[in-house]
Amino acid sequence: MARVFVYGTLKKGQPNYKHMINTAKGLAKFQGRGRTVEKYPLVIAGKYNIPYMLNIPGTGHHVAGEIYSVDDQMLQFLDEFEGCPDMYQRTLMRIEVVEWEGKGGTGEAWAAAEGIVECFVYSTTTYPPEWVGLPYHDSYDSSGKHGLSYVLRESR
């Protein structure tokens, strides 16, 4: 099992969360909520209003999201879904645990007690330079006050 941190449309209550609970795509178990230890720019960009975490450590905000344990099948699905490695790149990042529901062995308990876990995160280094000038968010909600509603793939 691998840990994945999701900050955009794959979170609970967001347009693509359905993929996280579709066991035909693999297993994803919600572990808790967290935020990036380092600051990153989270922008909403492109004609489909997609959330992107730009891989520029030290700039932006501590980005909030959810931590999942996923099996290899789900990780492979997420790589394909996220257009990895072209659109997003999957990298390990340190995530500060805000609320932990995860259950497991002593390693899990220790990580939660220490407050920091390493998770795979889909961020991007392949973006147009003007995206750096977009507003930075600390949390993503497709129906947030930004007014930039996400366009589902099936509606594009």
Side-chain angles (χ1 to χ4, degrees), residues 106-123:
T106 55
E108 297 277 348
W110 179 85
E114 291 296 307
I116 306 285
V117 293
E118 279 212 327
C119 299
F120 284 121
V121 180
Y122 292 91
S123 63

Side-chain angles (χ1 to χ4, degrees), residues 50-103:
I50 297 171
Y52 293 92
M53 183 189 301
L54 307 183
N55 197 340
I56 311 172
T59 301
H61 301 288
H62 299 283
V63 177
E66 297 173 349
I67 301 164
Y68 288 84
S69 264
V70 301
D71 66 5
D72 289 342
Q73 183 184 350
M74 178 59 80
L75 194 60
Q76 184 176 350
F77 165 78
L78 290 172
D79 280 353
E80 291 168 16
F81 182 80
E82 299 289 11
C84 185
D86 301 323
M87 187 151 115
Y88 292 93
Q89 296 80 48
R90 174 167 47 96
T91 56
L92 276 173
M93 290 185 185
R94 289 167 18 102
I95 303 299
E96 176 187 359
V97 175
V98 175
E99 181 182 323
W100 191 254
E101 290 186 20
K103 307 221 178 347

